[in-house]
Amino acid sequence: MKLAEVWNERLTGAEVRPLTHNDDELIYQFQASHPEYFDHFQDHPVTRQEAIQDVTDLPLNAQPEQKAYLGVFQNGELQVLVDLIIDYPLPSLVWLGMWLPAKDLAPADSAAFYHSLVTTLQAADAVQLQLSVFMGDRQMKQFWEDLGLAAMQTTAVVKGERVANVTIYQDKF
């Protein structure tokens, strides 16, 4: 998948590249710096193994070639960790499994990165993006609603032995 290359063409002052297991320490440190995110669905800080398994984790019925696990960098620093599943669960739909901005990234900059991603996905013939937000995550709920995403439904997800309530949001392009 050349999503990172195409997205790079739409960004100024930042670079997108695939994250791989060569980036395991970076991925772990970045995720570990966001304990409040993980508090929504697990009863312990993210472990290194949990963090790095995101590189290859796939939802049910998804194929490895559908996954894009990307980092948005500015001045060599990871600014947003992005986990996408393309054409999932249906063709032309994109599932955003994770959008994890750096703690010091301004919401306006995170929004600009998101808008450039949407433009990239539209160019690849995607018509809709969906994501879930954990109940109680007021910051990300507000972020997505400010960007105009619509809440579609509330459901429960099982992660290990824990159950978390989430709201599914969508962005129709």
Side-chain angles (χ1 to χ4, degrees):
M1 158 132 333
K2 302 206 189 274
L3 182 63
E5 293 172 23
V6 178
W7 192 3
N8 269 322
E9 295 172 7
R10 289 171 167 72
L11 281 176
T12 304
E15 175 192 357
V16 177
R17 70 170 176 81
L19 296 173
T20 69
H21 282 299
N22 291 333
D23 300 298
D24 282 356
E25 190 58 28
L26 172 67
I27 293 164
Y28 170 62
Q29 292 299 327
F30 192 80
Q31 288 191 18
S33 72
H34 292 79
E36 68 288 343
Y37 173 80
F38 295 94
D39 285 347
H40 292 294
F41 60 90
Q42 59 190 35
D43 60 0
H44 60 274
V46 68
T47 66
R48 188 174 197 281
Q49 184 58 41
E50 288 167 338
I52 65 174
Q53 81 183 31
D54 282 346
V55 172
T56 54
D57 254 3
L58 291 169
L60 185 64
N61 298 322
Q63 301 301 312
E65 59 273 9
Q66 290 175 270
K67 184 170 182 91
Y69 196 74
L70 308 171
V72 180
F73 293 82
Q74 279 183 314
N75 302 318
E77 296 291 320
L78 181 58
Q79 296 299 304
V80 184
L81 194 151
V82 184
D83 186 0
L84 298 165
I85 308 295
I86 310 299
D87 291 329
Y88 184 85
L90 299 168
S92 302
L93 192 143
V94 176
W95 180 260
L96 178 60
M98 183 181 286
W99 181 271
L100 194 60
K103 289 190 166 287
D104 60 351
L105 183 65
D109 292 333
S110 186
F113 290 143
Y114 176 73
H115 287 303
S116 66
L117 171 61
V118 167
T119 302
T120 303
L121 293 173
Q122 287 174 309
D125 297 326
V127 298
Q128 186 178 142
L129 178 138
Q130 291 184 346
L131 57 92
S132 63
V133 175
F134 293 103
M135 297 292 205
D137 189 345
R138 292 187 182 120
Q139 183 178 0
M140 290 312 291
K141 176 183 185 298
Q142 191 64 54
F143 176 76
W144 296 118
E145 289 177 358
D146 287 350
L147 288 174
L149 276 73
M152 299 304 300
Q153 71 180 44
T154 300
T155 189
V157 294
V158 177
K159 185 98 169 168
E161 295 181 14
R162 297 209 42 192
V163 176
N165 292 319
V166 298
T167 301
I168 307 294
Y169 283 83
Q170 79 175 9
D171 190 354
K172 287 188 175 183
F173 313 144

